[in-house]
Amino acid sequence: MEEEESEEEGDTISQHPPASPTCGGEDGARPFTSSRGPSRDKESRGKESRGKLKSRDFELATQTVEEEYLAAARQEMMAGVAEEEEVVLPRGRLLKLSILDTWGDPDYVGLTGIELFNSTGEMVKIPPEAVKGPSLNDLENCSTDYRTPDKLVSGCNITTDDVNMWLAPFNPGESNHVTIKLPSVTEISVIKVYNYNKCSDDTYRGVKTLKITLDDKPLLSAEGKVNLRRGPGSTHYDFG
């Protein structure tokens, strides 16, 4: 009777109690796993994937905008260049080089050479007799010095041999100039001047400030003045 009463009561005693849902005991029951876990993982991965796609789309859109901006800027620049007026080169025949000061020598000034290029980029051929200017032969008791103005157009410019250079007395505050009469009226696009370059000490005889005019019209600037770099005193590079 007691057993029957126990079975009837049922809810309080059981011959086979259920396995705990929170652990896998020794009886081999499977551990409890929440059914919401995988869903959350998938949702998280989905959000991450969508975030990467959005980031990639943003980068592509930004890159496209930058490329379009650069292309538009290039087109605008080229259009501006096309609309610019044609460059007018100085044109004349009598070139004048006025020496305003030296790199430090108070008594003498010199140059190694000068090259002129026309509107087509060709070097202008200048005969030696077309170059006029002072030299050391203007001094008393000196008449055979070889450093005469014609050496400026000898074509031997990257040198330290002063037989290919021009040297003259320098008088601060006075007119110290060389003139070159071109074979014909010429458009000048480039002027290269090679400073005095006998040796490192004598480079102080080089021209520091030069004023250049063509048919009395200033070149290179409103006043025609240009600063020349001092010669290196060597021939390791083109110093013109």
Side-chain angles (χ1 to χ4, degrees), residues 54-87:
K54 288 182 179 179
S55 177
R56 178 59 177 168
D57 291 342
F58 177 77
E59 290 177 0
L60 291 175
T62 302
Q63 182 178 355
T64 302
V65 171
E66 290 178 351
E67 291 175 352
E68 291 177 351
Y69 175 79
L70 291 175
R74 283 194 293 267
Q75 291 178 357
E76 183 177 354
M77 181 182 66
M78 295 305 295
V81 171
E83 291 175 359
E84 287 183 357
E85 295 182 0
E86 184 179 356
V87 176

Side-chain angles (χ1 to χ4, degrees), residues 151-178:
K151 302 299 172 57
L152 293 175
V153 294
S154 67
C156 187
N157 298 321
I158 305 176
T159 180
T160 55
D161 189 349
D162 65 347
V163 73
N164 299 303
M165 302 178 192
W166 165 70
L167 188 68
F170 178 66
N171 302 300
E174 298 183 14
S175 178
N176 304 274
H177 65 268
V178 173

Side-chain angles (χ1 to χ4, degrees), residues 147-222:
R147 290 166 290 189
T148 49
D150 58 293
K151 302 299 172 57
L152 293 175
V153 294
S154 67
C156 187
N157 298 321
I158 305 176
T159 180
T160 55
D161 189 349
D162 65 347
V163 73
N164 299 303
M165 302 178 192
W166 165 70
L167 188 68
F170 178 66
N171 302 300
E174 298 183 14
S175 178
N176 304 274
H177 65 268
V178 173
T179 59
I180 301 175
K181 190 173 184 179
L182 304 180
S184 61
V185 175
T186 305
E187 288 185 335
I188 298 178
S189 61
V190 176
I191 300 177
K192 289 186 70 175
V193 180
Y194 294 81
N195 226 330
Y196 198 73
N197 196 51
K198 181 179 179 180
C199 63
S200 58
D201 290 337
D202 279 358
T203 56
Y204 289 98
R205 292 178 170 178
V207 178
K208 184 176 183 180
T209 307
L210 188 66
K211 181 179 180 180
I212 305 177
T213 60
L214 182 63
D215 289 351
D216 295 326
K217 297 178 180 179
L219 301 182
L220 305 177
S221 68

Side-chain angles (χ1 to χ4, degrees), residues 103-119:
W103 271 99
D105 194 305
D107 301 315
Y108 299 98
V109 65
L111 290 169
T112 298
I114 183 170
E115 295 176 349
L116 305 178
F117 297 84
N118 61 20
S119 58

Side-chain angles (χ1 to χ4, degrees), residues 109-149:
V109 65
L111 290 169
T112 298
I114 183 170
E115 295 176 349
L116 305 178
F117 297 84
N118 61 20
S119 58
T120 61
E122 297 177 344
M123 186 183 297
V124 179
K125 295 181 179 180
I126 304 170
E129 61 272 15
V131 185
K132 304 295 182 182
S135 72
L136 295 182
N137 295 322
D138 298 332
L139 300 175
E140 294 182 6
N141 303 320
C142 185
S143 59
T144 59
D145 194 89
Y146 47 80
R147 290 166 290 189
T148 49

